[in-house]
Amino acid sequence: MNGSRRNSGSSLVSSSSASSNLSHLEEDTWILWGRIVNEWDEWRKKKEKLLKELIRKGIPHHFRAIVWQLLCSATDMPVKNQYSELLKMSSPCEKLIRRDIARTYPEHEFFKGQDSLGQEVLFNVMKAYSLVDREVGYCQGSAFIVGLLLMQMPEEEAFCVFVRLMQEYRLRELFKPSMAELGLCIYQFEYMLQ
């Protein structure tokens, strides 16, 4: 806003008033999203249209982890309690996962470098999922979804959201060994482009 003219064309918007307005806007946004999170059930039932509009405008970074969990009902999943036990188990997919981990967001600071924290938690979530859903097991492309979740939330929560996305939102259909659903999606996309 600094240096831009008001509609009247007579004066410039000062950088101090712009930053003052921005901080009030940020504060209002913080308060609004705090209210949404604390009154989630009410917002989902009574203010669904407004909630959708706000989500489409963008969820503030600090609220994404909890809002994504609330959106897919992943906050109190029983599988979250199994996560630490799953990590103690052995998966037939471990070698494949280890081989591919470095290829997932290789330039992102969180995942950069062998044995980085990002690579380790990504391995953990992928391994745990391969044990929960043995039909899908591990598929390289799914690590990009998990990686994105891990950029926003701790590994246990990312695991729960990923399980919900795969099971309730049919993402697992894209990653089954036949990849039939993926072929269908690509066909639909190409048809829409034509």
Side-chain angles (χ1 to χ4, degrees):
M1 289 175 59
N2 191 17
S4 65
R5 297 218 174 253
R6 290 185 178 174
N7 289 339
S8 66
S10 61
S11 65
L12 295 175
V13 175
S14 72
S15 61
S16 63
S17 69
S19 64
S20 172
N21 289 339
L22 184 60
S23 65
H24 288 300
L25 181 63
E26 288 174 346
E27 186 178 325
D28 291 345
T29 301
W30 185 269
I31 291 168
L32 174 63
W33 279 99
R35 187 177 298 134
I36 291 169
V37 167
N38 288 323
E39 302 166 1
W40 183 256
D41 291 334
E42 183 180 332
W43 277 82
R44 282 291 291 255
K45 293 174 186 168
K46 296 180 182 175
K47 302 174 184 177
E48 184 180 9
K49 188 174 181 180
L50 177 57
L51 180 61
K52 282 183 180 181
E53 187 178 315
L54 290 168
I55 290 169
R56 287 183 180 127
K57 287 182 179 179
I59 302 166
H61 176 74
H62 296 294
F63 289 96
R64 282 186 199 142
I66 187 65
V67 172
W68 287 0
Q69 291 174 66
L70 289 167
L71 278 169
C72 69
S73 303
T75 50
D76 294 318
M77 291 180 60
V79 76
K80 185 175 184 179
N81 299 329
Q82 299 169 0
Y83 185 72
S84 60
E85 293 303 314
L86 291 167
L87 294 182
K88 295 174 187 173
M89 298 168 68
S90 172
S91 168
C93 302
E94 286 185 38
K95 285 184 182 178
L96 258 164
I97 297 169
R98 282 274 180 224
R99 186 191 70 198
D100 289 340
I101 288 295
R103 300 180 201 172
T104 308
Y105 299 112
E107 298 302 316
H108 193 281
E109 197 60 39
F110 186 56
F111 300 102
K112 199 180 276 190
Q114 190 175 8
D115 300 325
S116 67
L117 175 62
Q119 287 188 15
E120 197 54 39
V121 295
L122 180 57
F123 173 81
N124 289 345
V125 174
M126 298 312 306
K127 173 186 164 183
Y129 186 79
S130 74
L131 292 165
V132 167
D133 184 353
R134 293 187 185 260
E135 181 183 8
V136 170
Y138 167 72
C139 183
Q140 186 179 3
S142 61
F144 286 94
I145 297 167
V146 173
L148 182 64
L149 295 172
L150 288 169
M151 290 179 210
Q152 302 296 323
M153 63 191 73
E155 65 184 280
E156 294 88 352
E157 285 81 6
F159 172 69
C160 291
V161 171
F162 185 62
V163 168
R164 291 293 291 185
L165 291 174
M166 294 292 274
Q167 293 176 353
E168 300 299 319
Y169 294 89
R170 295 182 35 101
L171 278 184
R172 77 181 296 274
E173 300 302 316
L174 297 173
F175 298 108
K176 282 184 175 178
S178 70
M179 295 191 168
E181 188 80 9
L182 180 61
L184 176 62
C185 287
I186 291 170
Y187 170 78
Q188 291 169 331
F189 179 69
E190 287 175 349
Y191 184 78
M192 290 189 324
L193 280 177
Q194 289 176 359

